[in-house]
Amino acid sequence: MYRCLIANRGEIAVRIIRACREVGVETVAVYAKGDEKSLHVSLADQAICIGEANPLDSYLNINRIIAAAEITGANAIHPGYGFLSESPNFAQKVEENDIYFIGPTKRTMEMMGDKITARQTVESADVPIIPGSIGAVHSVDEIKEIAKDIGYPVVLKAASGGGGKGIRIVKEPEHLEKAFKEAQSEGKKYFDDDRIYVEAFIPVAKHVEVQVIGDGKENYVHLGERDCSVQRKNQKLIEESPCAALSEEKRQKICEDAVKVAQASNYRSAGTIEFLVTDDAYYFIEMNARIQVEHTVTEMRADRDLLQAQLYLMKHGELPFSQDDIHFTGHVIEARINAENPERKFQPSPGKVKALHLPQGFNVRVDSLLYPGYVVSPYYDSLVAKVIVKGANRTHAIEKLKATLDEMVIDGFSTTADFLYAVLSYPAYADGDAKDVDIKFLDRHQITKGAALT
């Protein structure tokens, strides 16, 4: 008998519990003080408090989560996304306690989490990486030599960086020394790692990612790509599949290369390979070694439940399908609904749900943590719902999503729903091949419906 502890909260915890229920896996919810009335707590078979609202005292506290698993008899842990989902130490601690970690191994996380090692691994698999250094650079002179080949601007990046820390864009060689020292200093301060590597600066590109899943042995499968280019300050707002701007030849090649990365890293479980795509090329940027927020897009287009595939792998040591079993239909778009106020520069807008209507319909899916009376916490991510629709083609999917957002009611606090409706209605976004939709799309167009993007 499997009993799965969900080391997370919010809509992803609800999603995992529902997947477990359908295959007869018992569930344990963990929660922080103040989260007692969260939906995932009431849906799980058991629930246990693990600390204060501060994530460091609860959802990021490895010892308390392991203790909760031991107390409740859980023999598996699903980390969801965020929090500890990409922590090699957490994965190691889980398996040291004879608990199955529903995710990749510690070794894979370390390999792909270190950006230098990841570049080396991907390059050795003959998958394109952004031009630059393969390993760490140790001096300004070394960077200058690389810049002769790749040109300016260049980007200096910390090997263990994240959240924008340890990154410097350098437009002229005379600024290299200062930027190099600053990037090293930030890397050491935030990640205890002062290794730096250098890449060419790509100012405009599409952000395209490929969903993969592997058994860590022989079977590695891609489930198509997602276009995640509509972003604000590196936060994804709208995701869709397929990417309308890709030719079939490029689509096939980028998906095949994603599988190569999964194979090279001996990847076990569901994960995502991310690429920057320009008009004439594409480049690996990173691997997300976890389930992602937008996994729902792939599930609707490929008609495959990724969470249940993870659970099947846990039970049987193999995947329930191979590449030949994967087939795609229609066009799928997801809108992330955040508790934020677009009229106040997207400030968080926590509050109590006074009225709620989550739309339904053919090929409409809403994943949410909301219910009438629920109070959205100010302590955690502002995502409160994901609205996903499938249409016969891109135009149909856009109109379907607009109609769905128009029907949805979330009263009691501000959300991004009206702003996303405005984006979907904007001519340059709705254009059939979406060639103008890249990571700078919102910056260029300043789309508003009472919204300030700056």
Side-chain angles (χ1 to χ4, degrees), residues 239-258:
E239 300 103 348
E240 61 181 294
S241 180
C243 174
L246 288 184
S247 67
E248 284 304 316
E249 181 181 2
K250 185 179 282 190
R251 175 175 292 111
Q252 181 176 349
K253 188 70 170 66
I254 203 170
C255 289
E256 288 174 352
D257 279 348

Side-chain angles (χ1 to χ4, degrees), residues 122-139:
V122 171
E123 198 263 348
S124 67
D126 198 27
V127 174
I129 60 174
I130 297 174
S133 62
I134 301 300
V137 292
H138 303 94
S139 70

Side-chain angles (χ1 to χ4, degrees), residues 337-350:
I337 310 301
N338 294 322
E340 297 173 354
N341 189 338
E343 295 182 5
R344 295 188 176 179
K345 301 181 180 180
F346 293 86
Q347 290 179 359
S349 177

Side-chain angles (χ1 to χ4, degrees), residues 56 58 77 105 127 199 210 250 278 281 325 329 348 357 400 404:
L56 292 173
S58 51
I77 289 180
T105 63
V127 174
E199 289 181 341
V210 179
K250 185 179 282 190
T278 63
D325 299 316
T329 58
H357 171 68
K400 190 182 192 76
T404 303

